[in-house]
mmCIF file of all heavy atoms in Angstrom:
data_model
loop_
_atom_site.group_PDB
_atom_site.id
_atom_site.type_symbol
_atom_site.label_atom_id
_atom_site.label_comp_id
_atom_site.label_asym_id
_atom_site.label_seq_id
_atom_site.Cartn_x
_atom_site.Cartn_y
_atom_site.Cartn_z
ATOM 1 N N THR R 408 -26.288 16.055 27.595
ATOM 2 C CA THR R 408 -26.592 16.465 28.964
ATOM 3 C C THR R 408 -25.877 17.766 29.356
ATOM 4 O O THR R 408 -24.955 17.758 30.173
ATOM 5 C CB THR R 408 -26.265 15.357 29.977
ATOM 6 O OG1 THR R 408 -24.895 15.008 29.860
ATOM 7 C CG2 THR R 408 -27.145 14.150 29.786
ATOM 8 N N PRO R 409 -26.285 18.878 28.753
ATOM 9 C CA PRO R 409 -25.641 20.157 29.070
ATOM 10 C C PRO R 409 -25.923 20.576 30.514
ATOM 11 O O PRO R 409 -26.883 20.120 31.135
ATOM 12 C CB PRO R 409 -26.272 21.126 28.079
ATOM 13 C CG PRO R 409 -27.578 20.511 27.748
ATOM 14 C CD PRO R 409 -27.387 19.034 27.828
ATOM 15 N N HIS R 410 -25.070 21.452 31.029
ATOM 16 C CA HIS R 410 -25.221 21.955 32.396
ATOM 17 C C HIS R 410 -25.150 23.477 32.376
ATOM 18 O O HIS R 410 -24.647 24.074 31.437
ATOM 19 C CB HIS R 410 -24.112 21.397 33.292
ATOM 20 C CG HIS R 410 -24.138 19.911 33.379
ATOM 21 N ND1 HIS R 410 -25.086 19.222 34.086
ATOM 22 C CD2 HIS R 410 -23.339 18.969 32.814
ATOM 23 C CE1 HIS R 410 -24.867 17.922 33.971
ATOM 24 N NE2 HIS R 410 -23.807 17.747 33.200
ATOM 25 N N GLY R 411 -25.641 24.075 33.435
ATOM 26 C CA GLY R 411 -25.535 25.522 33.599
ATOM 27 C C GLY R 411 -26.401 26.285 32.625
ATOM 28 O O GLY R 411 -27.561 25.951 32.396
ATOM 29 N N GLU R 412 -25.813 27.323 32.057
ATOM 30 C CA GLU R 412 -26.546 28.229 31.171
ATOM 31 C C GLU R 412 -27.056 27.520 29.923
ATOM 32 O O GLU R 412 -28.171 27.787 29.460
ATOM 33 C CB GLU R 412 -25.643 29.408 30.781
ATOM 34 C CG GLU R 412 -26.364 30.505 30.034
ATOM 35 C CD GLU R 412 -27.398 31.229 30.874
ATOM 36 O OE1 GLU R 412 -27.270 31.258 32.115
ATOM 37 O OE2 GLU R 412 -28.339 31.776 30.276
ATOM 38 N N ALA R 413 -26.289 26.617 29.367
ATOM 39 C CA ALA R 413 -26.706 25.892 28.163
ATOM 40 C C ALA R 413 -27.965 25.072 28.437
ATOM 41 O O ALA R 413 -28.884 25.039 27.616
ATOM 42 C CB ALA R 413 -25.590 24.998 27.661
ATOM 43 N N GLU R 414 -28.004 24.439 29.588
ATOM 44 C CA GLU R 414 -29.178 23.649 29.959
ATOM 45 C C GLU R 414 -30.416 24.543 30.074
ATOM 46 O O GLU R 414 -31.495 24.200 29.594
ATOM 47 C CB GLU R 414 -28.939 22.921 31.277
ATOM 48 C CG GLU R 414 -30.118 22.091 31.731
ATOM 49 C CD GLU R 414 -29.857 21.429 33.065
ATOM 50 O OE1 GLU R 414 -28.989 21.910 33.833
ATOM 51 O OE2 GLU R 414 -30.536 20.441 33.344
ATOM 52 N N ARG R 415 -30.236 25.695 30.678
ATOM 53 C CA ARG R 415 -31.344 26.631 30.871
ATOM 54 C C ARG R 415 -31.860 27.153 29.515
ATOM 55 O O ARG R 415 -33.050 27.222 29.290
ATOM 56 C CB ARG R 415 -30.897 27.783 31.770
ATOM 57 C CG ARG R 415 -32.007 28.615 32.314
ATOM 58 C CD ARG R 415 -31.610 29.605 33.406
ATOM 59 N NE ARG R 415 -30.194 29.856 33.619
ATOM 60 C CZ ARG R 415 -29.428 29.240 34.534
ATOM 61 N NH1 ARG R 415 -29.955 28.306 35.299
ATOM 62 N NH2 ARG R 415 -28.160 29.547 34.676
ATOM 63 N N VAL R 416 -30.947 27.489 28.616
ATOM 64 C CA VAL R 416 -31.335 27.975 27.290
ATOM 65 C C VAL R 416 -32.108 26.903 26.526
ATOM 66 O O VAL R 416 -33.135 27.190 25.900
ATOM 67 C CB VAL R 416 -30.093 28.430 26.491
ATOM 68 C CG1 VAL R 416 -30.429 28.667 25.032
ATOM 69 C CG2 VAL R 416 -29.493 29.680 27.118
ATOM 70 N N ILE R 417 -31.649 25.666 26.595
ATOM 71 C CA ILE R 417 -32.342 24.578 25.904
ATOM 72 C C ILE R 417 -33.729 24.365 26.496
ATOM 73 O O ILE R 417 -34.702 24.165 25.765
ATOM 74 C CB ILE R 417 -31.499 23.287 25.942
ATOM 75 C CG1 ILE R 417 -30.279 23.461 25.030
ATOM 76 C CG2 ILE R 417 -32.312 22.070 25.539
ATOM 77 C CD1 ILE R 417 -29.286 22.334 25.112
ATOM 78 N N GLU R 418 -33.845 24.413 27.815
ATOM 79 C CA GLU R 418 -35.149 24.244 28.449
ATOM 80 C C GLU R 418 -36.127 25.344 28.034
ATOM 81 O O GLU R 418 -37.289 25.070 27.738
ATOM 82 C CB GLU R 418 -35.011 24.213 29.979
ATOM 83 C CG GLU R 418 -34.354 22.964 30.493
ATOM 84 C CD GLU R 418 -35.123 21.701 30.173
ATOM 85 O OE1 GLU R 418 -36.372 21.701 30.222
ATOM 86 O OE2 GLU R 418 -34.459 20.700 29.855
ATOM 87 N N TYR R 419 -35.666 26.591 28.009
ATOM 88 C CA TYR R 419 -36.529 27.695 27.573
ATOM 89 C C TYR R 419 -36.928 27.534 26.111
ATOM 90 O O TYR R 419 -38.070 27.789 25.732
ATOM 91 C CB TYR R 419 -35.852 29.045 27.788
ATOM 92 C CG TYR R 419 -35.773 29.473 29.232
ATOM 93 C CD1 TYR R 419 -34.642 30.107 29.715
ATOM 94 C CD2 TYR R 419 -36.818 29.243 30.113
ATOM 95 C CE1 TYR R 419 -34.550 30.506 31.040
ATOM 96 C CE2 TYR R 419 -36.731 29.629 31.440
ATOM 97 C CZ TYR R 419 -35.594 30.270 31.895
ATOM 98 O OH TYR R 419 -35.515 30.650 33.202
ATOM 99 N N ALA R 420 -36.000 27.119 25.268
ATOM 100 C CA ALA R 420 -36.296 26.927 23.850
ATOM 101 C C ALA R 420 -37.310 25.804 23.659
ATOM 102 O O ALA R 420 -38.251 25.936 22.860
ATOM 103 C CB ALA R 420 -35.018 26.631 23.082
ATOM 104 N N LEU R 421 -37.147 24.703 24.389
ATOM 105 C CA LEU R 421 -38.113 23.605 24.298
ATOM 106 C C LEU R 421 -39.490 24.042 24.780
ATOM 107 O O LEU R 421 -40.510 23.685 24.178
ATOM 108 C CB LEU R 421 -37.621 22.389 25.089
ATOM 109 C CG LEU R 421 -36.457 21.627 24.475
ATOM 110 C CD1 LEU R 421 -35.947 20.567 25.446
ATOM 111 C CD2 LEU R 421 -36.848 21.005 23.161
ATOM 112 N N PHE R 422 -39.533 24.830 25.833
ATOM 113 C CA PHE R 422 -40.813 25.334 26.328
ATOM 114 C C PHE R 422 -41.477 26.226 25.278
ATOM 115 O O PHE R 422 -42.687 26.125 25.047
ATOM 116 C CB PHE R 422 -40.614 26.106 27.643
ATOM 117 C CG PHE R 422 -41.896 26.611 28.220
ATOM 118 C CD1 PHE R 422 -42.782 25.749 28.840
ATOM 119 C CD2 PHE R 422 -42.225 27.952 28.137
ATOM 120 C CE1 PHE R 422 -43.979 26.214 29.372
ATOM 121 C CE2 PHE R 422 -43.409 28.426 28.663
ATOM 122 C CZ PHE R 422 -44.285 27.552 29.287
ATOM 123 N N ALA R 423 -40.700 27.084 24.630
ATOM 124 C CA ALA R 423 -41.244 27.957 23.581
ATOM 125 C C ALA R 423 -41.783 27.123 22.427
ATOM 126 O O ALA R 423 -42.842 27.437 21.858
ATOM 127 C CB ALA R 423 -40.167 28.921 23.099
ATOM 128 N N ILE R 424 -41.089 26.053 22.088
ATOM 129 C CA ILE R 424 -41.563 25.179 21.009
ATOM 130 C C ILE R 424 -42.851 24.480 21.417
ATOM 131 O O ILE R 424 -43.785 24.359 20.613
ATOM 132 C CB ILE R 424 -40.458 24.177 20.617
ATOM 133 C CG1 ILE R 424 -39.329 24.921 19.901
ATOM 134 C CG2 ILE R 424 -41.017 23.070 19.746
ATOM 135 C CD1 ILE R 424 -38.100 24.081 19.645
ATOM 136 N N TYR R 425 -42.942 24.038 22.669
ATOM 137 C CA TYR R 425 -44.195 23.460 23.143
ATOM 138 C C TYR R 425 -45.340 24.459 22.984
ATOM 139 O O TYR R 425 -46.441 24.108 22.566
ATOM 140 C CB TYR R 425 -44.102 23.048 24.621
ATOM 141 C CG TYR R 425 -43.231 21.864 24.913
ATOM 142 C CD1 TYR R 425 -42.392 21.864 26.018
ATOM 143 C CD2 TYR R 425 -43.236 20.734 24.117
ATOM 144 C CE1 TYR R 425 -41.591 20.781 26.316
ATOM 145 C CE2 TYR R 425 -42.436 19.636 24.403
ATOM 146 C CZ TYR R 425 -41.620 19.673 25.499
ATOM 147 O OH TYR R 425 -40.829 18.596 25.794
ATOM 148 N N LEU R 426 -45.077 25.711 23.321
ATOM 149 C CA LEU R 426 -46.112 26.736 23.189
ATOM 150 C C LEU R 426 -46.537 26.924 21.740
ATOM 151 O O LEU R 426 -47.727 27.124 21.464
ATOM 152 C CB LEU R 426 -45.635 28.065 23.773
ATOM 153 C CG LEU R 426 -45.550 28.132 25.291
ATOM 154 C CD1 LEU R 426 -45.036 29.503 25.729
ATOM 155 C CD2 LEU R 426 -46.892 27.842 25.917
ATOM 156 N N VAL R 427 -45.595 26.858 20.816
ATOM 157 C CA VAL R 427 -45.939 26.967 19.389
ATOM 158 C C VAL R 427 -46.915 25.862 19.011
ATOM 159 O O VAL R 427 -47.927 26.116 18.342
ATOM 160 C CB VAL R 427 -44.665 26.898 18.511
ATOM 161 C CG1 VAL R 427 -45.029 26.711 17.038
ATOM 162 C CG2 VAL R 427 -43.827 28.150 18.695
ATOM 163 N N PHE R 428 -46.666 24.656 19.455
ATOM 164 C CA PHE R 428 -47.552 23.550 19.113
ATOM 165 C C PHE R 428 -48.904 23.654 19.832
ATOM 166 O O PHE R 428 -49.929 23.260 19.267
ATOM 167 C CB PHE R 428 -46.881 22.208 19.381
ATOM 168 C CG PHE R 428 -45.822 21.875 18.377
ATOM 169 C CD1 PHE R 428 -44.515 21.688 18.776
ATOM 170 C CD2 PHE R 428 -46.113 21.774 17.027
ATOM 171 C CE1 PHE R 428 -43.530 21.388 17.855
ATOM 172 C CE2 PHE R 428 -45.137 21.483 16.095
ATOM 173 C CZ PHE R 428 -43.844 21.285 16.505
ATOM 174 N N VAL R 429 -48.921 24.168 21.024
ATOM 175 C CA VAL R 429 -50.203 24.376 21.721
ATOM 176 C C VAL R 429 -51.034 25.432 20.988
ATOM 177 O O VAL R 429 -52.236 25.244 20.771
ATOM 178 C CB VAL R 429 -49.969 24.773 23.198
ATOM 179 C CG1 VAL R 429 -51.242 25.292 23.837
ATOM 180 C CG2 VAL R 429 -49.414 23.595 23.976
ATOM 181 N N VAL R 430 -50.403 26.521 20.585
ATOM 182 C CA VAL R 430 -51.113 27.565 19.841
ATOM 183 C C VAL R 430 -51.626 27.000 18.518
ATOM 184 O O VAL R 430 -52.764 27.258 18.122
ATOM 185 C CB VAL R 430 -50.211 28.797 19.611
ATOM 186 C CG1 VAL R 430 -50.808 29.757 18.608
ATOM 187 C CG2 VAL R 430 -49.937 29.494 20.934
ATOM 188 N N ASP R 431 -50.813 26.211 17.840
ATOM 189 C CA ASP R 431 -51.244 25.584 16.588
ATOM 190 C C ASP R 431 -52.469 24.707 16.830
ATOM 191 O O ASP R 431 -53.434 24.762 16.079
ATOM 192 C CB ASP R 431 -50.103 24.767 15.990
ATOM 193 C CG ASP R 431 -50.525 24.004 14.756
ATOM 194 O OD1 ASP R 431 -50.926 24.654 13.758
ATOM 195 O OD2 ASP R 431 -50.451 22.758 14.770
ATOM 196 N N TYR R 432 -52.446 23.904 17.887
ATOM 197 C CA TYR R 432 -53.575 23.023 18.196
ATOM 198 C C TYR R 432 -54.841 23.828 18.473
ATOM 199 O O TYR R 432 -55.912 23.502 17.962
ATOM 200 C CB TYR R 432 -53.243 22.133 19.395
ATOM 201 C CG TYR R 432 -54.360 21.196 19.745
ATOM 202 C CD1 TYR R 432 -54.578 20.056 19.004
ATOM 203 C CD2 TYR R 432 -55.216 21.475 20.811
ATOM 204 C CE1 TYR R 432 -55.616 19.199 19.312
ATOM 205 C CE2 TYR R 432 -56.257 20.622 21.117
ATOM 206 C CZ TYR R 432 -56.448 19.480 20.362
ATOM 207 O OH TYR R 432 -57.492 18.644 20.662
ATOM 208 N N VAL R 433 -54.709 24.885 19.254
ATOM 209 C CA VAL R 433 -55.872 25.708 19.588
ATOM 210 C C VAL R 433 -56.443 26.370 18.328
ATOM 211 O O VAL R 433 -57.668 26.408 18.145
ATOM 212 C CB VAL R 433 -55.512 26.756 20.664
ATOM 213 C CG1 VAL R 433 -56.609 27.779 20.835
ATOM 214 C CG2 VAL R 433 -55.207 26.062 21.986
ATOM 215 N N LEU R 434 -55.573 26.862 17.464
ATOM 216 C CA LEU R 434 -56.050 27.474 16.221
ATOM 217 C C LEU R 434 -56.739 26.454 15.336
ATOM 218 O O LEU R 434 -57.807 26.737 14.769
ATOM 219 C CB LEU R 434 -54.895 28.140 15.476
ATOM 220 C CG LEU R 434 -54.391 29.434 16.090
ATOM 221 C CD1 LEU R 434 -53.135 29.902 15.377
ATOM 222 C CD2 LEU R 434 -55.462 30.507 16.038
ATOM 223 N N ARG R 435 -56.157 25.280 15.201
ATOM 224 C CA ARG R 435 -56.799 24.245 14.392
ATOM 225 C C ARG R 435 -58.143 23.851 14.982
ATOM 226 O O ARG R 435 -59.103 23.618 14.250
ATOM 227 C CB ARG R 435 -55.908 23.015 14.283
ATOM 228 C CG ARG R 435 -54.720 23.224 13.395
ATOM 229 C CD ARG R 435 -53.800 22.006 13.452
ATOM 230 N NE ARG R 435 -52.582 22.246 12.754
ATOM 231 C CZ ARG R 435 -52.372 21.921 11.478
ATOM 232 N NH1 ARG R 435 -53.317 21.334 10.791
ATOM 233 N NH2 ARG R 435 -51.224 22.191 10.910
ATOM 234 N N LEU R 436 -58.218 23.774 16.283
ATOM 235 C CA LEU R 436 -59.482 23.442 16.942
ATOM 236 C C LEU R 436 -60.515 24.527 16.716
ATOM 237 O O LEU R 436 -61.693 24.238 16.504
ATOM 238 C CB LEU R 436 -59.247 23.226 18.438
ATOM 239 C CG LEU R 436 -60.426 22.702 19.244
ATOM 240 C CD1 LEU R 436 -60.864 21.343 18.725
ATOM 241 C CD2 LEU R 436 -60.041 22.607 20.713
ATOM 242 N N SER R 437 -60.085 25.781 16.716
ATOM 243 C CA SER R 437 -61.042 26.872 16.500
ATOM 244 C C SER R 437 -61.584 26.877 15.075
ATOM 245 O O SER R 437 -62.702 27.316 14.835
ATOM 246 C CB SER R 437 -60.393 28.220 16.821
ATOM 247 O OG SER R 437 -59.446 28.552 15.836
ATOM 248 N N PHE R 438 -60.809 26.375 14.102
ATOM 249 C CA PHE R 438 -61.272 26.309 12.716
ATOM 250 C C PHE R 438 -62.133 25.081 12.448
ATOM 251 O O PHE R 438 -62.894 25.058 11.485
ATOM 252 C CB PHE R 438 -60.088 26.278 11.740
ATOM 253 C CG PHE R 438 -59.278 27.540 11.729
ATOM 254 C CD1 PHE R 438 -57.903 27.479 11.588
ATOM 255 C CD2 PHE R 438 -59.857 28.787 11.846
ATOM 256 C CE1 PHE R 438 -57.132 28.629 11.562
ATOM 257 C CE2 PHE R 438 -59.102 29.938 11.829
ATOM 258 C CZ PHE R 438 -57.735 29.862 11.686
ATOM 259 N N ALA R 439 -61.992 24.046 13.245
ATOM 260 C CA ALA R 439 -62.653 22.770 12.985
ATOM 261 C C ALA R 439 -64.153 22.846 13.252
ATOM 262 O O ALA R 439 -64.603 23.548 14.143
ATOM 263 C CB ALA R 439 -62.029 21.690 13.850
ATOM 264 N N GLN R 440 -64.872 22.083 12.465
ATOM 265 C CA GLN R 440 -66.313 21.952 12.659
ATOM 266 C C GLN R 440 -66.652 20.477 12.584
ATOM 267 O O GLN R 440 -66.286 19.840 11.609
ATOM 268 C CB GLN R 440 -67.081 22.727 11.593
ATOM 269 C CG GLN R 440 -66.907 24.210 11.651
ATOM 270 C CD GLN R 440 -67.484 24.812 12.924
ATOM 271 O OE1 GLN R 440 -68.444 24.284 13.486
ATOM 272 N NE2 GLN R 440 -66.888 25.891 13.395
ATOM 273 N N PRO R 441 -67.336 19.863 13.447
ATOM 274 C CA PRO R 441 -67.670 20.296 14.795
ATOM 275 C C PRO R 441 -66.454 20.195 15.714
ATOM 276 O O PRO R 441 -65.633 19.303 15.584
ATOM 277 C CB PRO R 441 -68.760 19.332 15.221
ATOM 278 C CG PRO R 441 -68.486 18.091 14.448
ATOM 279 C CD PRO R 441 -67.875 18.537 13.144
ATOM 280 N N ARG R 442 -66.367 21.120 16.623
ATOM 281 C CA ARG R 442 -65.192 21.215 17.490
ATOM 282 C C ARG R 442 -65.040 20.030 18.436
ATOM 283 O O ARG R 442 -63.945 19.545 18.657
ATOM 284 C CB ARG R 442 -65.231 22.517 18.285
ATOM 285 C CG ARG R 442 -64.900 23.694 17.428
ATOM 286 C CD ARG R 442 -64.790 24.967 18.242
ATOM 287 N NE ARG R 442 -64.510 26.061 17.343
ATOM 288 C CZ ARG R 442 -65.440 26.855 16.839
ATOM 289 N NH1 ARG R 442 -66.689 26.691 17.175
ATOM 290 N NH2 ARG R 442 -65.105 27.821 16.017
ATOM 291 N N ALA R 443 -66.127 19.577 19.011
ATOM 292 C CA ALA R 443 -66.048 18.487 19.985
ATOM 293 C C ALA R 443 -65.470 17.226 19.339
ATOM 294 O O ALA R 443 -64.625 16.564 19.929
ATOM 295 C CB ALA R 443 -67.413 18.197 20.570
ATOM 296 N N LYS R 444 -65.887 16.921 18.129
ATOM 297 C CA LYS R 444 -65.359 15.735 17.434
ATOM 298 C C LYS R 444 -63.868 15.914 17.155
ATOM 299 O O LYS R 444 -63.092 14.976 17.316
ATOM 300 C CB LYS R 444 -66.120 15.529 16.135
ATOM 301 C CG LYS R 444 -65.689 14.300 15.382
ATOM 302 C CD LYS R 444 -66.490 14.143 14.104
ATOM 303 C CE LYS R 444 -65.974 12.961 13.313
ATOM 304 N NZ LYS R 444 -66.624 12.859 12.018
ATOM 305 N N SER R 445 -63.444 17.097 16.768
ATOM 306 C CA SER R 445 -62.032 17.354 16.480
ATOM 307 C C SER R 445 -61.199 17.310 17.747
ATOM 308 O O SER R 445 -60.049 16.887 17.720
ATOM 309 C CB SER R 445 -61.871 18.712 15.816
ATOM 310 O OG SER R 445 -62.546 18.739 14.590
ATOM 311 N N PHE R 446 -61.774 17.761 18.855
ATOM 312 C CA PHE R 446 -61.042 17.769 20.109
ATOM 313 C C PHE R 446 -60.680 16.371 20.569
ATOM 314 O O PHE R 446 -59.588 16.123 21.046
ATOM 315 C CB PHE R 446 -61.877 18.475 21.182
ATOM 316 C CG PHE R 446 -61.189 18.568 22.516
ATOM 317 C CD1 PHE R 446 -60.172 19.468 22.718
ATOM 318 C CD2 PHE R 446 -61.557 17.733 23.555
ATOM 319 C CE1 PHE R 446 -59.524 19.567 23.945
ATOM 320 C CE2 PHE R 446 -60.935 17.813 24.774
ATOM 321 C CZ PHE R 446 -59.917 18.732 24.976
#
């Protein structure tokens, strides 16, 4: 349970990691055929 700056850095890092996984999902969905079934 960090506080202050450490807490903020961890939150930003976790958000960036979430974005990595969202981008990965979108890319995989764009490659999939048929897309609706993969979604």
Side-chain angles (χ1 to χ4, degrees):
T408 58
H410 299 287
E412 188 66 26
E414 179 182 22
R415 194 169 13 265
V416 168
I417 289 173
E418 290 298 322
Y419 287 141
L421 288 172
F422 182 74
I424 290 172
Y425 290 139
L426 288 179
V427 168
F428 286 119
V429 167
V430 168
D431 175 62
Y432 181 78
V433 169
L434 287 172
R435 288 174 187 266
L436 187 61
S437 71
F438 294 143
Q440 294 295 330
R442 286 186 182 95
K444 183 180 176 186
S445 298
F446 181 75

